[in-house]
């Protein structure tokens, strides 16, 4: 593999020399600022070999470096070996910023470049300012070297689109567009350009399969006070979809025509979210720009009654599949005996779990690549087993399993950490701290409009007393048969102003990762519901949508508060009552034991 | 009183008519953005009668309104009665913004005014933008009507200045200025204008008495890469101070010359904090402006070893005075008998406490007006008793006592809520919830650099479960023989980006206020100290600097966690061990009982 990388770096440097460029910057995203991107835009992975979801690669004529966050430190270290890329660990002391590093490597006055289609307006504007401070380095944004040097580059996907039934969506596209127009008027905007693929899919009640695990389709949506235009490769549209779009008042134009559409946009102003719209399109606009967060982002996160019913249905099915899987795993894991793990590996159990999910009605796909990390692999936060890294499970230690599915009625995301046999005291203590953190979030009641930054600490406070922490967020929104990561609300240490309101989904997934030893994460997906209204306003609470037992065997009971034990008992009772009607006798017996009160 | 107000409003409206102004806006601050302001600048209080520390008054030709926050709702309601001022409750549903209200009252195209000296650059710029959105209302900023209509206006204070000894300051002015210049260079700034009076006092190791309870003096400080100039009324400077300033490298010019000094400033750029520098001075500058938070703000909050030693000394003395007071109060409160409260009132006990503090070495003043609220008065968050509102204490219910002192070696701030006799179940429950919140902050360990927004919830989570809350922050920094409110770090629900680091002081003061019933607040001043360093970085902890027993009689013990009881026992043991050597036999016996383990 690294030989390929060296060849590609050679081709790139040749092109850079021709273009008089001192460096080229590869972002991790695409013209739609997606987290998962179609292969066509995986330029950063192609040039560096690093396949994590977040990372920026920079190549100079002499050197190369890749910036990524703590989730990927271990994976990146391995994937970059032999490529010449130096790993830059974000948020670690001593790590230079991209601009600082370029300043040092290229010197004042250099010209560097990136593809302005594949970075947001804000990202590019910040980079331009940062580079200017490095003795005046300038940035060129109109070059995509991959068009010249990437042989056999995958095309932009052309998969067919389907209509998302109203019984699951709960609101017509026509009505959503009316709400969006109202939100635009409140922001004194005449129209907007929508570029986020999940926002477009949600608005139009359409789904596609252009992006791995995310049922979205590559397109832009331009809304003015009079028209709505979908910019898309028309080959994707069946006659049925064409007719549907017409009914909902949506016109269609070619994907390549979006820049022309923006140039021709004739109203006084247009709302563009500078964190979402790519730099090239942003610069195309000649009208007044209202720079604000896209109002669709937040509208999409507040689920309506049909969507919530769909989530409950999807979670029931997902819980059944998970319990069938855990029952199967317990049979071979030696927990109920000592007969070993029958040659099962991280990959084989991931396949087993996927096949059990696929048996459920309305199953469509997994919602992200399964993270099945056994033993020290679990300390690699976003470890996804490959044939090269796959290892057999053994009847000891812990398995971290983070997985989810796309059902037509909802998207799921669940993590369990499962003891496969005897554990060390450290494993038990850390497991218990993570579980306490998880439960403290579940128990939280809070004023409507609180931010996830306020609530996040409840998952961490007990581990902080032990000097432990985790550097990822504690939770993210989940889409309705859409992206498993849905913003803007989150639980995290960093400031997230998005207020939490009733109807939002959010995951609760604290963890602790000890490199070379083990990792623990416990995750449910929660729904925000009303709690009580008092003279101090409306208070909200969380309801666990996820239905699956949490392994009790690693728990150090003396570390648990009575309210935490009580929550676990109540949760397990609900899991048992809800799932057992759908299980056979053996599975029910196993579940009864797994959910037994303490 | 309200007759005076009506007269003043008449005079103002006459002037407004002459000047063709539709409205005049009175901010609550002064040219130095102080929280406490010299009487000379108390224009908002003079025009409206409302004396709270925060509030904005707006007067039109026909109407008048005053905006303030929840701390002052009840007090403002009473003080505004009969004045024609309508109370506008900030952060309450339905309350219009100042611009919205002016838009409705004055209509599009109107011209309104404020005194640009008495609002920050950011506040005025925001107001200009908000007013423009109200159909194009314009703002005039060069008029101080008070100069014309305020008869017998108090002059700008001219009190003498003293040198703050190095044994308490711990660092010379010369060294501080060198550190400030280094911080300016890091921000690519050549100089700065300092306008916050506590920043100037801290930088120069000088103290004054121009502002109630705050040992500061009215002045500006202009720092360039070569010179430092103090703009001050020279009558305040003794020959000793003049000589001292010369030694430290600080020149002196008249207070009125600051605008001229800014016009003459010749370097390439200058750092101005737009939240601190007033609009008029901000607009005076002709050089490039570096808009950033004043680096002095944060430098001042991290205490050096001498300052921390001073805090410990001041807290010891304050604890002795508080225990002598509580012992005295217990003797008359009927707690140890049933002989009533001897005619004591909110005001008389405030005087008693002040006199006990005044007996302590290096005592200089109280650090803010004592909040002594008995019974339902305690529900008025910042209630300060006056001869008109004063009520006698009775042997039942609770007394909320929030007080502090200025000692030459440190500033104190403490709140205790004290049972004077039998309590209701509701009083006990609320008291216990507040105490649990207080202790959860005390127990918190956290990564260095965390924000107060993250930690704040620990004080609230238990009361939120009961649908209770308080709308003020949970804590603020405390100065070193300086302002009792010292920013920028805070514990609060709103976002405060200032990172918490070792050496900072911060109060821990959750509360609950039930209007018409009672109020509870429990406050210690904490010091941030190192806890442990692990592979996850440096963790910090809190140490209570305040030494005074917390009333145990209202506690509902079943609601307390073992770790909370344990903290209280350990704290009380430390209080007893530290204070008892300084008390007489009766006081010691009382303290032993108050600190007895549970």
């Amino acid at each position: 593999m690294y030989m390929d990388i060296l060849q590609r770096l050679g081709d790139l440097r040749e092109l850079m020399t021709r273009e008089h460029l001192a460096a080229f910057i590869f972002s991790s995203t695409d013209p739609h600022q997606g987290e998962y991107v179609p292969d066509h835009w995986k330029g950063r992975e192609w040039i560096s070999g690093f396949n994590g979801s977040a990372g920026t690669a920079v190549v100079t004529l002499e050197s190369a470096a890749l910036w990524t966050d703590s989730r990927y430190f271990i994976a990146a270290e391995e994937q970059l070996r032999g490529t010449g890329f130096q790993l830059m660990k974000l948020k670690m002391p001593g790590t230079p910023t991209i601009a600082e590093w370029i300043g040092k490597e290229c010197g004042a006055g250099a010209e560097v470049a990136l593809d302005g289609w594949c970075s947001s307006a804000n990202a590019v504007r910040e980079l331009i300012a940062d580079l200017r401070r490095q003795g005046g380095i300038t940035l060129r944004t109109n070059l995509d070297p991959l068009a010249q040097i990437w042989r056999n580059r995958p095309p932009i996907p052309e998969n067919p689109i389907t209509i998302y039934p109203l019984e699951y969506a709960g609101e017509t596209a026509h009505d959503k567009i009316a709400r969006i127009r109202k939100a635009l008027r409140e922001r004194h905007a005449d129209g907007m350009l929508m570029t986020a693929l999940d926002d477009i899919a949600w608005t139009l009640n359409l789904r596609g399969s252009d992006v791995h695990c995310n049922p979205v389709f590559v397109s832009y949506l331009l809304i003015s006070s009079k028209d709505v235009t979908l910019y898309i490769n028309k080959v994707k549209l069946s006659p049925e979809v064409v007719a549907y779009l017409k009914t909902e008042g949506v016109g269609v134009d070619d994907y390549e025509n979006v820049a022309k559409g923006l140039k021709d946009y004739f109203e006084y102003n247009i709302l563009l979210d500078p964190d979402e719209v790519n730099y090239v399109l942003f610069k195309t606009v000649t009208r007044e720009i209202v720079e604000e967060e896209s109002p669709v982002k937040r509208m999409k996160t507040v689920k309506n009654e049909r969507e919530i019913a769909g989530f409950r249905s999807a979670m029931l099915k997902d819980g059944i599949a998970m319990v069938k899987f855990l029952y199967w795993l317990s049979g071979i894991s030696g927990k109920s005996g000592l007969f070993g793990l029958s040659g099962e590996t991280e990959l084989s159990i991931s396949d087993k779990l996927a096949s059990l999910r696929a048996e459920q009605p309305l199953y469509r796909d997994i919602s992200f690549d399964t993270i099945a990390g056994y033993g020290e692999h679990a300390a690699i936060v976003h470890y996804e087993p490959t044939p090269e890294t796959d290892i057999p499970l053994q009847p000891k230690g812990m398995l971290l399993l983070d997985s989810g599915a796309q059902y037509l009625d909802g998207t799921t995301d669940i993590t369990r950490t499962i003891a496969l046999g005897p554990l060390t005291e450290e494993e038990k203590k850390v497991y218990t701290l993570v579980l306490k953190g998880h439960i403290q979030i579940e128990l939280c009641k809070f004023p409507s409009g609180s931010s996830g930054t306020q609530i996040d600490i409840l998952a961490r406070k007990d581990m902080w007393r032990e000097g432990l922490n985790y550097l990822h967020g504690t939770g993210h929104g989940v889409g309705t048969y859409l992206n498993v990561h849905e913003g803007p609300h989150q639980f995290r240490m960093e400031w997230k102003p998005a207020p939490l309101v009733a109807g939002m989904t959010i995951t609760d997934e604290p963890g602790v990762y000890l490199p070379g030893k083990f990792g623990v994460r416990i995750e449910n997906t929660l729904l925000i519901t009303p709690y009580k209204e008092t003279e101090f306003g409306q208070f909200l609470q969380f309801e666990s949508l996820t239905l699956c037992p949490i392994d009790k065997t690693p728990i150090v009971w003396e570390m648990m508060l009575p309210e935490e034990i009580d929550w676990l008992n109540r949760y397990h009772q609900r899991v048992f009552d809800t799932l057992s009607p759908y299980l056979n006798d053996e599975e029910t017996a196993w579940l009864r034991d797994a959910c037994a009160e303490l």
Side-chain angles (χ1 to χ4, degrees), chain A residues 60-280:
Chain A
T60 72
L61 293 174
E62 306 286 337
S63 55
L66 181 125
W67 283 255
T68 191
D69 62 65
S70 63
R71 292 176 298 175
Y72 296 110
F73 288 168
I74 300 174
E77 199 97 58
E78 284 178 14
Q79 294 177 3
L80 296 178
R81 196 164 295 142
T83 63
F85 273 92
Q86 184 186 350
L87 175 59
M88 297 291 186
K89 298 182 174 183
L90 283 171
K91 290 198 211 170
M92 289 291 145
T95 300
T97 66
I98 289 169
E100 285 167 356
W101 186 80
I102 291 176
K104 199 168 61 68
E105 294 287 312
C106 305
E111 187 177 48
V112 304
L114 56 64
D115 179 3
W117 282 93
C118 290
S119 284
S120 74
N122 266 350
V124 174
R125 292 191 294 197
E126 270 172 41
L127 189 59
I128 288 172
D130 290 348
L131 288 170
R132 190 185 297 134
R133 274 195 285 271
Q134 297 297 325
I137 291 175
T138 54
L139 184 70
R140 201 178 140 185
T141 59
N142 63 349
L143 181 71
D144 175 13
L146 301 176
Q148 300 177 51
I149 62 175
W150 189 347
R151 277 175 279 257
N152 303 316
R153 182 179 188 175
I156 298 175
E158 302 185 347
N159 300 321
I161 285 173
T162 58
I163 298 169
Y164 192 53
L166 191 58
E167 66 175 299
Y168 305 123
E171 184 181 13
T172 65
H174 181 273
D175 288 352
K176 288 179 180 177
I177 291 166
R179 274 210 290 149
I180 292 167
R181 284 208 170 105
K182 182 160 175 284
L184 290 173
R185 281 195 299 275
E186 284 165 9
R187 288 159 179 78
H188 306 285
D190 300 316
M192 73 173 289
L193 177 71
M194 216 182 290
T195 63
L197 301 187
D198 58 337
D199 285 4
I200 298 171
W202 176 85
T203 301
L204 299 181
N205 290 339
L206 293 175
R207 296 295 186 268
S209 59
D210 286 352
V211 176
H212 182 54
C213 297
N214 292 238
V216 296
F217 48 92
V218 174
S219 60
Y220 296 98
L221 191 69
L222 182 62
I223 298 182
S224 73
S225 65
K226 290 172 199 63
D227 304 309
V228 182
T229 309
L230 178 65
Y231 292 90
I232 192 166
N233 185 335
K234 286 174 185 160
V235 73
K236 296 172 166 181
L237 307 179
S238 67
E240 187 199 356
V241 172
V242 169
Y244 162 82
L245 285 170
K246 198 166 182 185
T247 317
E248 300 292 318
V250 179
V252 175
D253 199 347
D254 284 331
Y255 181 67
E256 290 70 25
N257 285 349
V258 62
K260 183 176 178 306
L262 272 178
K263 276 193 196 118
D264 294 346
Y265 177 89
F266 58 92
E267 307 214 36
Y268 178 68
N269 68 21
I270 183 165
L271 184 144
L272 299 180
D273 184 335
D275 285 318
E276 293 217 322
V277 176
N278 68 59
Y279 185 74
V280 171

Side-chain angles (χ1 to χ4, degrees), chain A residues 300-320:
Chain A
K300 186 181 69 210
T301 62
V302 181
K303 311 305 180 196
N304 62 42
E305 277 181 36
R306 293 303 315 155
E307 290 176 309
I308 291 172
F311 263 105
R312 289 192 204 284
S313 164
M315 291 290 177
L316 172 64
K317 293 179 285 189
D318 213 56
I320 294 166

Side-chain angles (χ1 to χ4, degrees), chain A residues 414-469:
Chain A
I414 175 176
T415 309
R416 290 294 181 266
T417 303
I418 306 140
L420 297 185
L423 302 179
T424 65
E425 292 308 305
E426 189 181 35
E427 285 170 323
K428 290 181 193 171
K429 182 178 158 189
V430 166
Y431 182 95
T432 307
L433 287 169
V434 172
L435 178 59
K436 284 168 70 74
H438 177 90
I439 295 175
Q440 284 299 324
I441 297 273
E442 296 260 11
L443 287 172
C444 178
K445 319 296 177 193
F446 58 98
S448 181
S450 297
S451 81
T453 309
Q454 294 174 261
I455 292 171
D456 173 86
I457 192 177
L458 298 180
R460 301 182 197 261
K461 67 183 176 62
D462 289 307
M463 50 184 83
W464 284 355
R465 292 189 190 177
E466 305 292 330
L468 298 170
N469 200 5

Side-chain angles (χ1 to χ4, degrees), chain A residues 34-48:
Chain A
E35 181 185 353
Y36 291 78
V37 309
D39 290 342
H40 177 80
W41 284 296
K42 286 185 177 165
R44 188 258 297 144
E45 179 177 342
W46 181 82
I47 197 71
S48 71

Side-chain angles (χ1 to χ4, degrees), chain A residues 59 64 92 96 116 202 249 359 364 415 582:
Chain A
V59 179
M92 289 291 145
W202 176 85
E359 290 170 10
R364 290 294 179 271
T415 309
Y582 303 91

